[in-house]
């Protein structure tokens, strides 16, 4: 009813993952509305472990990729990866994520405090929704269970709530030796909990551009993360490890103990944050994307489909076309 009453030139559909709101996109197209899908998680269904992931991916490649007129995601790296598996040929725009203003403003002070001596053992933070599969907490917990000797070097704190919380509690109660290596806390304010730790660890199997990474970058907390399209967009390659390779992750965490190394990461992350994820950068990206979408509504999908492949990076918002 809203669409029929407003008769918009363009509608943007927000999907958590590809195909999550297919019925909305189909309905809009049936009503003759030019439609763009905004999707922060662009990995394939198979990569994300859906029970019928192969079928979902087949539907995307054969049918769904032709339905929207364009797509929006969070980073150029994600756009490239999305094109590779989905075979999408229509424009993929990019709108980077950002953080709350209080986090960004606090960061000016936090970065200057980052040179303080780090604790022994290194305080490693795992912050966010306690989900076994996406966040790879099942494999991380198993690794820690077999390496309690790491307590001499690290202490891992899981902060958050979610379906995997009960399993973590059970493991800690059954194996008391684990309590020297790891602990579990309820959800806490981001600024407060990040001030209490030396490094953020993100072990996810799949992500977009995680907000928790951007917050850590703004606040001067080094980040070690699994190598994914969304994390590659923000972090240097020497802060990334192959998903599930915790031996390499431990080596990267060890390197954080070196003051020069830690400060170099902090400064690099802060500069990357200001250039790509600050409030000012986000505002510029929104303006640039708005201009591109206004221009896009005046063109036909067929024109975009047959244009030469190009990447326009004149603004913070990017569009990749084929």
């Amino acid at each position: 009813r809203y669409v029929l009453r407003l008769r918009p030139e363009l509608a943007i559909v927000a999907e958590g993952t590809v195909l999550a709101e297919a019925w909305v996109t189909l309905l809009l197209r049936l009503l003759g509305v030019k439609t763009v899908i905004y999707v922060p998680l662009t990995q394939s269904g198979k990569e994300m472990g859906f029970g019928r992931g192969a079928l979902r991916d087949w539907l995307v490649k054969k049918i769904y990729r032709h339905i929207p007129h364009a797509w929006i995601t969070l980073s150029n790296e994600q756009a490239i990866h999305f094109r590779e598996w989905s075979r999408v040929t229509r424009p993929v725009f990019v709108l980077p994520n950002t953080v709350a203003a209080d986090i960004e403003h606090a960061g000016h002070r936090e970065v200057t405090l980052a040179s303080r001596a780090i604790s022994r053992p290194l305080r490693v933070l795992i912050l966010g929704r306690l989900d076994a599969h996406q966040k790879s907490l099942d494999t991380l917990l198993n690794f820690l269970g077999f390496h309690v000797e790491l307590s001499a070097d690290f202490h891992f704190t899981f902060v958050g709530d979610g379906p995997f919380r009960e399993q973590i509690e059970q493991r800690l109660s059954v194996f008391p030796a684990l309590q020297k290596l790891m602990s579990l806390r309820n959800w806490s304010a981001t600024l407060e909990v990040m001030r209490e730790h030396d490094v953020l660890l993100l072990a996810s199997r799949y992500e977009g551009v995680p907000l928790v990474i951007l917050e850590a970058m703004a606040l001067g907390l080094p980040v070690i993360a699994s190598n994914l399209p969304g994390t590659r967009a923000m972090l240097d390659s020497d802060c990334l490890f192959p998903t599930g390779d915790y031996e390499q992750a431990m080596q990267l965490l060890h390197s954080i103990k070196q003051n020069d190394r830690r400060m170099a990461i902090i400064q690099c992350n802060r500069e990357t944050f200001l250039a790509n994820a600050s409030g000012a950068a986000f505002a510029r990206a929104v303006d640039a994307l708005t201009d591109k979408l206004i221009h896009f509504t005046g063109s036909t999908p067929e024109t975009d489909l047959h244009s030469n492949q190009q990447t326009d990076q004149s603004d913070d918002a990017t569009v990749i076309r084929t």
Side-chain angles (χ1 to χ4, degrees):
R1 290 200 298 270
Y2 277 115
V3 171
L4 290 174
R5 188 173 70 194
L6 295 174
R7 298 187 180 280
E9 293 182 43
L10 177 71
I12 299 177
V13 178
E15 289 190 324
T17 59
V18 180
L19 213 64
E21 299 292 345
W23 67 274
V24 179
T25 306
L26 287 169
L27 181 58
L28 287 166
R29 288 305 310 271
L30 289 173
L31 293 173
V33 179
K34 185 168 285 190
T35 306
V36 176
I37 293 179
Y38 171 83
V39 56
L41 290 175
T42 55
Q43 285 94 336
S44 67
K46 187 175 181 180
E47 287 177 301
M48 290 189 285
F50 283 111
R52 297 183 178 178
L55 176 60
R56 290 175 63 98
D57 296 343
W58 183 87
L59 289 172
V60 172
K61 295 173 185 178
K62 295 295 183 181
I63 302 172
Y64 196 53
R65 68 185 178 98
H66 300 294
I67 296 175
H69 295 81
W71 306 76
I72 301 172
T73 191
L74 300 177
S75 73
N76 188 49
E77 290 78 3
Q78 285 181 288
I80 293 170
H81 179 70
F82 177 48
R83 281 192 176 284
E84 289 175 349
W85 77 260
S86 69
R87 303 174 189 169
V88 162
T89 57
R90 295 187 174 182
V92 181
F93 298 93
V94 172
L95 181 65
N97 213 339
T98 189
V99 303
D102 61 330
I103 296 292
E104 180 178 349
H105 296 153
H108 293 287
R109 173 173 175 270
E110 296 303 314
V111 171
T112 63
L113 295 176
S115 60
R116 67 189 184 280
I118 62 173
S119 61
R120 297 292 189 274
L122 191 77
R123 298 170 299 179
V124 183
L125 173 64
I126 298 98
L127 175 63
R129 185 170 182 269
L130 299 179
D131 175 89
H133 182 71
Q134 179 186 353
K135 304 299 181 180
S136 201
L137 298 186
D138 52 351
T139 57
L140 177 58
L141 187 60
N142 288 337
F143 176 84
L144 296 179
F146 283 105
H147 294 84
V148 292
E149 74 280 359
L150 290 173
S151 60
D153 297 308
F154 307 112
H155 186 83
F156 297 84
T157 305
F158 293 76
V159 179
D161 292 298
F164 197 59
R165 182 182 180 88
E166 184 177 348
Q167 287 90 327
I168 297 174
E169 291 174 338
Q170 289 176 351
R171 191 72 63 90
L172 286 170
S173 64
V174 173
F175 300 101
L178 259 181
Q179 297 176 17
K180 294 182 179 180
L181 178 60
M182 58 176 284
S183 56
L184 177 63
R185 286 174 49 180
N186 292 326
W187 188 265
S188 302
T190 299
L191 188 57
E192 173 188 340
V193 73
M194 286 192 176
R195 282 174 173 167
E196 298 173 358
H197 290 83
D198 302 310
V199 60
L200 174 74
L201 175 64
L202 185 110
S204 300
R205 288 183 171 94
Y206 59 91
E207 288 283 358
V209 177
L211 186 61
V212 68
I213 282 184
L214 301 182
E215 292 170 335
M217 294 173 71
L219 294 172
L221 185 67
V223 180
I224 301 299
S226 49
N227 193 341
L228 303 168
T231 57
R232 287 197 297 272
M234 300 302 296
L235 301 174
D236 281 350
S237 59
D238 56 2
C239 292
L240 301 172
F241 62 93
T243 304
D245 187 349
Y246 297 116
E247 295 290 349
Q248 183 170 341
M250 296 306 112
Q251 294 177 17
L252 295 177
L253 289 173
H254 267 293
S255 71
I256 297 296
K257 296 181 178 182
Q258 303 171 17
N259 189 64
D260 291 345
R261 159 82 170 147
R262 185 173 74 259
M263 290 308 300
I265 291 173
I266 289 170
Q267 293 299 333
C268 179
N269 285 357
R270 179 67 179 176
E271 291 171 6
T272 300
F273 166 80
L274 291 174
N276 299 284
S278 64
F282 181 71
R284 291 194 301 269
V286 170
D287 289 342
L289 178 59
T290 301
D291 291 341
K292 291 176 187 294
L293 290 177
I294 290 172
H295 174 74
F296 178 69
T297 56
S299 63
T300 62
E302 289 74 19
T303 300
D304 291 307
L305 279 168
H306 293 89
S307 63
N308 294 326
Q309 183 174 341
Q310 58 181 320
T311 302
D312 177 4
Q313 294 181 314
S314 57
D315 301 297
D316 290 299
T318 304
V319 58
I320 300 176
R321 303 175 187 269
T322 299

